[in-house]
Amino acid sequence: MFEVKNLKYKDILYIDHLNINKNSVTCIVGESGSGKTTLLKMLNNIISPDEGEIYFNRKEINQYNPIDLRRRVVMLPQTPIIYKGSILDNILIGKKFSKSEIYDIKEIENLLEKFNVNKNLNEPAENLSGGEKQRVCLIRVLIMNPEVILLDEPTSALDENTEDLVINYVVEYVKKNNKTLIMVTHSKEIAKKYSDHIIEITKRR
């Protein structure tokens, strides 16, 4: 699905060749500052390499319209972005971006329950805790129904039990619906437990 060739970005990231498979779970691990998030942003065409090429479905990524690409390849940053309005408003922002006004309120309520966000959908989203905001943003991504989900430390604000619950559900969702998940995680345990492939990035000395 993704192929990276001869990539160089500043003094942060050097990749000779990398393939990321379709319909699989890939975890990116490595120490802080090694370029994990940088790679994720490049797969979403948020930033471009100084040298090298990135291909998505055998087409050079810069040949895609960036907005169209980001409807198919959706990235959730580590710091959740919450807008003014209710929890439901925040979740549906993703549907509006993907140009789909159709949603299933029961599906959204089910996701809130599965992710242990015990809140009414009409409550202000700004009142949520950090971990709850993270989970609401993850629900926003899931109901967009993208081909590829890019997650940057999606459970950094969660305790260990909740982290396991959330990742387990997301991985099940990805496999059931033939999606592709690429996730940056600080936890090698999570990577070993859930990923089909692990990419370890080392910091250049």
Side-chain angles (χ1 to χ4, degrees), residues 64-203:
Y64 289 91
N65 177 290
I67 300 301
D68 291 340
L69 176 75
R70 290 172 198 143
R71 289 189 178 118
R72 298 171 64 184
V73 181
V74 176
M75 178 174 173
L76 178 64
Q78 183 173 351
T79 303
I81 299 172
I82 292 292
Y83 303 91
K84 284 189 177 181
S86 68
I87 294 171
L88 182 60
D89 291 335
N90 269 267
I91 291 171
L92 294 183
I93 282 171
K95 295 292 284 184
K96 291 176 183 176
F97 177 74
S98 59
K99 287 190 171 181
S100 172
E101 299 297 324
I102 300 170
Y103 65 93
D104 183 348
I105 194 70
K106 291 294 184 184
E107 177 190 8
I108 294 172
E109 290 173 342
N110 182 54
L111 284 167
L112 284 174
E113 183 179 345
K114 285 198 173 290
F115 288 178
N116 281 344
V117 182
N118 299 310
K119 304 288 183 181
N120 188 292
L121 282 168
N122 295 317
E123 290 186 40
E126 61 188 13
N127 293 343
L128 296 170
S129 69
E132 287 169 338
K133 288 176 180 176
Q134 211 169 31
R135 281 169 278 170
V136 164
C137 289
L138 183 53
I139 293 170
R140 179 195 296 160
V141 168
L142 293 179
I143 70 160
M144 288 175 70
N145 194 33
E147 290 177 45
V148 183
I149 300 171
L150 306 176
L151 302 181
D152 188 6
E153 298 280 10
T155 56
S156 58
L158 306 182
D159 62 73
E160 191 173 313
N161 288 337
T162 308
E163 176 185 47
D164 200 57
L165 181 150
V166 169
I167 297 300
N168 183 68
Y169 180 85
V170 173
V171 169
E172 283 186 357
Y173 166 85
V174 165
K175 291 186 178 294
K176 180 180 178 181
N177 294 282
N178 296 316
K179 305 294 184 183
T180 302
L181 172 63
I182 304 169
M183 177 173 62
V184 169
T185 177
H186 63 280
S187 171
K188 288 189 177 182
E189 289 74 23
I190 287 289
K192 288 175 182 176
K193 183 174 181 179
Y194 291 110
S195 66
D196 300 308
H197 309 282
I198 298 175
I199 298 168
E200 184 162 7
I201 299 180
T202 56
K203 192 172 181 178

